[in-house]
Amino acid sequence: MFGRLRYLLTLSRPRFWLYLAGPVVVGVAYGAGTTADLFTETTIPLFAYFLLPANVFLYGINDVFDADVDTDNPKKEAKEARWQGDPIVAVVIVASTLLGAVTFALTPKVAWPYLAGFFLLGFQYSAPPLRFKTTPVFDSLSNGLYILPGAAAYAAVAGAQPPLAALAGAWLWTMGMHTFSAIPDIEPDRAAGIRTTATMLGESRTLAYCFGCWLAAAVVFGLVDVRLGLVLAAYPLMVLGVGLSSVAVDRAYWWFPALNTAVGTLLTLGALWRLVHA
């Protein structure tokens, strides 16, 4: 049992838990009208679901349908897990998926399209018939799923749609994030016959693509607030530094949880400052 729990923990990618839960925190902070809106019977369960069960759903589906592809992927040797075909783990993945229905019960209808989009894209990114991850450009576009929990949280707290520019900027940010993370997989994916935006472009042009996505994200966020654009500028500057240095992308890839946490913290603190000094 201990071994199974350890495997489930590895499968859920603890380093990346905040990729889903973090946007919830940011969405709640910006959607809140008062400090009383921050910790409620809606916001706390939303955060809890997207911290762990949603990651078991998302990465569990990924590992199940990538079992043959991951055979020769070096990322699966230590920091991630190869699918082992354990039926108990499969049941936990299904249960984590079904638990997502609770998020609809907790939130008003204005948040439902974002939640539905998350589950649809989260499943179809890895699973047939669409399997977006094997179609160049669509693999990048579909990763907007990562910001949808944050959009749902904002809508649930504010009772209104999040700003369109913020959604667009966040979507561009996820496109860059996904495609950068696919660079270490270029050779394993090519060997497995998998086509992605990264395998199509190659490493140098993929770095340029990520730079473009992140620069556009910073500009679009700047339309919401110049200070947001300045914070998001950390990403194009980072990828520019990686491209011009001798740092290997597969090493820089593991820096991103720290960078994302720092940026998310700054965004959240900015929102909280607004609440306290309103």
Side-chain angles (χ1 to χ4, degrees):
M1 182 59 68
F2 177 78
R4 184 176 281 129
L5 288 174
R6 183 177 178 181
Y7 170 73
L8 268 169
L9 184 67
T10 304
L11 174 147
S12 69
R13 319 286 205 272
R15 290 177 178 83
F16 304 146
W17 280 1
L18 288 180
Y19 283 16
L20 294 179
V24 172
V25 173
V26 175
V28 168
Y30 280 94
T34 69
T35 54
D37 295 329
L38 297 175
F39 300 99
T40 69
E41 65 276 5
T42 295
T43 62
I44 294 173
L46 271 182
F47 175 80
Y49 178 76
F50 284 105
L51 182 66
L52 181 55
N55 282 290
V56 173
F57 151 69
L58 186 64
Y59 296 115
I61 295 294
N62 178 83
D63 287 356
V64 168
F65 288 98
D66 270 9
D68 55 341
V69 177
D70 287 339
T71 302
D72 299 316
N73 190 333
K75 283 201 310 186
K76 302 295 179 178
E77 295 294 339
K79 296 181 179 180
E80 295 182 8
R82 288 189 173 90
W83 177 245
Q84 297 178 0
D86 188 325
I88 301 298
V89 172
V91 168
V92 174
I93 294 171
V94 172
S96 297
T97 305
L98 296 177
L99 188 61
V102 175
T103 62
F104 290 88
L106 291 169
T107 54
K109 290 182 180 180
V110 68
W112 291 0
Y114 303 110
L115 294 172
F118 169 77
F119 288 105
L120 177 63
L121 290 175
F123 188 77
Q124 287 295 274
Y125 174 73
S126 299
L130 298 179
R131 196 160 157 76
F132 289 121
K133 71 179 300 175
T134 62
T135 306
V137 182
F138 283 98
D139 60 336
S140 179
L141 282 168
S142 63
N143 263 254
L145 68 93
Y146 280 95
I147 59 95
L148 293 177
Y154 178 99
V157 173
Q161 304 294 339
L164 182 59
L167 279 176
W171 205 288
L172 286 162
W173 169 76
T174 64
M175 289 170 62
M177 280 295 302
H178 164 266
T179 310
F180 188 88
S181 72
I183 295 176
D185 295 332
I186 287 177
E187 294 310 318
D189 283 347
R190 283 176 173 169
I194 299 297
R195 296 184 69 244
T196 66
T197 300
T199 63
M200 178 182 71
L201 295 176
E203 182 172 324
S204 60
R205 286 187 293 179
T206 300
L207 286 172
Y209 175 89
C210 295
F211 177 83
C213 287
W214 280 329
L215 181 61
V219 170
V220 174
F221 265 111
L223 298 177
V224 181
D225 189 305
V226 172
R227 292 166 293 185
L228 296 179
L230 291 175
V231 173
L232 268 292
Y235 291 95
L237 289 175
M238 189 284 304
V239 78
L240 186 63
V242 171
L244 295 177
S245 71
S246 59
V247 175
V249 175
D250 57 354
R251 180 185 176 193
Y253 168 72
W254 296 106
W255 299 344
F256 266 90
L259 176 60
N260 289 337
T261 300
V263 169
T265 299
L266 285 174
L267 295 179
T268 303
L269 288 175
L272 295 178
W273 180 272
R274 171 187 61 84
L275 280 180
V276 172
H277 292 84

